[in-house]
Amino acid sequence: MGLRLVIADSAAEQDAARDVEARVFLESFGNTPDTMEQEYGPYADRSRFVTVIDEVSGSAAGAARIIVPDDAGEVKTLTDVAGEPWRLSVPDAVRAAGLSGAEIWDAATLAVDPGYRRSAAGAEVALALIHGLFRFTQLSGIRGAVTILDDHVLRLVQEMGVPWIPMAGATSQSYLGSPGSTPCVLTIGSFAESIRARRPELAPALVDGDFRSVSVDPADVLPGRGAALPDLTATGPRNG
């Protein structure tokens, strides 16, 4: 089984990433294809997928969706926390995290295929996705990220030393099938320091990308990878 960490760049890689995301979110939270389309479809052109690809089958062992901001800085998490049930002040939350004026990316989803979760490589798939999120944002010059994490997942990643912290004023609330989820923020510059201080044994994997079962080529996580591909089936003139 040859596993490789990539920012999904080809149509096949992007389809594999969306497939594992859809299957896991249906199983874990009851999010139907219609729900996923309603929630994430509007962000399709701004989504990038950190993906662990099985090079034998072409399927994805796991994927994490990043949503990059539009010209106004909008991403899904910041829009959602401003509404029910949290009604947070986004400027206040961003200011409290020390990220005022910074470009902020959204770590919108993270999914590991159940079949791989039950395998010896399963733990490394999750670690590789977190490493890929770190490296891709770091290399892209991004200072901060936001997310809404199921509380069980939040506890797991915090135990790994990943410095996601609740947004100022955020509480655990029901969200998209999760009985308890918390809006969180992370400063990219604190990632490596936190891992090395709190879980030094995980630093080779999470910070440096050193895995036994997942190969990592630095060229596969470079900035600019994973942009939306043109729709070659569309007819008629296209702008741009």
Side-chain angles (χ1 to χ4, degrees), residues 112-204:
V112 177
D113 184 276
Y116 288 91
R117 288 203 296 266
R118 294 188 289 268
S119 73
E124 285 211 324
V125 171
L127 294 176
L129 294 175
I130 295 171
H131 168 73
L133 287 166
F134 163 62
R135 287 297 292 164
F136 189 53
T137 50
Q138 181 192 50
L139 292 172
S140 299
I142 304 306
R143 286 177 48 204
V146 292
T147 190
I148 300 174
L149 284 175
D150 176 81
D151 291 339
H152 174 68
V153 177
L154 176 58
R155 286 192 294 271
L156 288 177
V157 296
Q158 287 181 330
E159 287 171 3
M160 295 177 190
V162 181
W164 283 112
I165 60 171
M167 290 184 191
T171 56
S172 175
Q173 301 286 344
S174 175
Y175 176 74
L176 289 180
S178 165
S181 287
T182 302
C184 295
V185 62
L186 180 149
T187 55
I188 306 303
S190 69
F191 181 91
E193 180 181 359
S194 176
I195 301 296
R196 295 191 193 282
R198 297 172 58 192
R199 294 298 300 272
E201 76 278 14
L202 295 180

Side-chain angles (χ1 to χ4, degrees), residues 9 24 26 33 53 58 60 87 102 126-127 132 157-158 167 227 229:
D9 205 46
V24 169
L26 177 61
I53 291 287
R87 301 190 64 82
L127 294 176
V157 296
Q158 287 181 330
M167 290 184 191
L229 300 172

Side-chain angles (χ1 to χ4, degrees), residues 28 73 75 106 118 134 149 164 196 209 214 233 235:
S28 299
V75 292
D106 191 344
R118 294 188 289 268
F134 163 62
L149 284 175
W164 283 112
R196 295 191 193 282
V214 181
T233 65
T235 59

